[in-house]
Amino acid sequence: MKMVIRGLIAGALAALLATTFAACAVEPAAAPAPEATASPAAGSSSASPSASPSATPTPSPSAKPKPEPKPSPTSGPRLFGKGDSGDDVRDLQARLKQIGWFNAGVTGFYGNVTTEAVSGFQGKRAIAVTGFVDQTTLDRLHAMTREPTEAELTNAPPPVPSGKLDPRCLTGRVMCIDKSTSVLRWVVGGTVQMSVEVRFGSQELPTREGQFSVFAKSRDHVSSIYKTPMPFAMFFSGGQAVHYSPDFAANGYNGASHGCVNVRDYGAITSLYDQVNIGDGVVIYWS
């Protein structure tokens, strides 16, 4: 019995070994070939990350073209100029005086003052600055002015506007000064002896109004406050006086005094100064 069992076990082991060896003798199946890597199509991006795009350069501003210089004005033929004299020059001076370019007396002689006035007029209006008169200068001047009057051509004083005399001016000796007409009248015994144009102070420094009397006179006075000349000064209220003003003579009513009564007629103020006495009246009023 034991022998039979041993035979069965030996047979089983032999069968098992045969099976094992048979299994090991079988050739293993070939491993599947790896898939071919597809080559990238033309124009396609590669798998590797691409470089970051470069920043678009900001164009630098181009330099502004320089404007071409304007051509300088050219003058025309000389009609008249320095050294000439006559009616044309007289007319020229009177017209320049109308627009504030000529402050001297009209003489009919073309000298340095007229040359400077013409040059200033030309430069202000972009006309070739020559100092002499050409057709362009003459045409522009005529367009800006009117025909001069006989008084303007002969330096005749303009008529002094009349106004009602203040009742306080009708007795005694009084410088009667009317702010309404800008006229000073020298009145003696109710009769007007002289009339002259005057200028007053500004709103900041007004000329006082009322009835006063002359308390001091100074022929060659200079202001201690403003350091300006006050020739033929006749003081009537503090530092306010009637006196000659070179500025009023040159610039007319374009300016104002510091409160005084300015006179621009040198001959008239010289005569008035000699007639007025200390104690004579001064009346400043509106008619």
Side-chain angles (χ1 to χ4, degrees), residues 210-278:
Q211 188 170 11
F212 312 93
S213 60
V214 176
F215 65 85
K217 295 173 65 179
S218 177
R219 183 178 293 272
D220 299 309
H221 193 77
V222 175
S223 171
S224 59
I225 300 174
Y226 302 106
K227 311 303 180 185
T228 53
M230 298 169 55
F232 307 106
M234 294 170 278
F235 291 91
F236 60 85
S237 177
Q240 295 191 355
V242 176
H243 68 85
Y244 174 73
S245 169
D247 179 75
F248 184 29
N251 300 312
Y253 293 99
N254 292 324
S257 75
H258 294 110
C260 290
V261 179
N262 290 163
V263 178
R264 62 178 170 183
D265 187 328
Y266 189 87
I269 190 67
T270 303
S271 175
L272 181 63
Y273 184 87
D274 290 339
Q275 295 179 58
V276 173
N277 299 322
I278 301 295

Side-chain angles (χ1 to χ4, degrees), residues 72-76 118-141 144:
S72 301
T74 57
S75 64
V118 170
S119 295
F121 175 80
Q122 291 170 328
K124 182 72 173 180
R125 284 151 189 87
I127 301 171
V129 179
T130 60
F132 63 74
V133 176
D134 60 3
Q135 194 61 53
T136 301
T137 303
L138 194 62
D139 290 345
R140 187 65 183 274
L141 180 61
M144 296 177 62

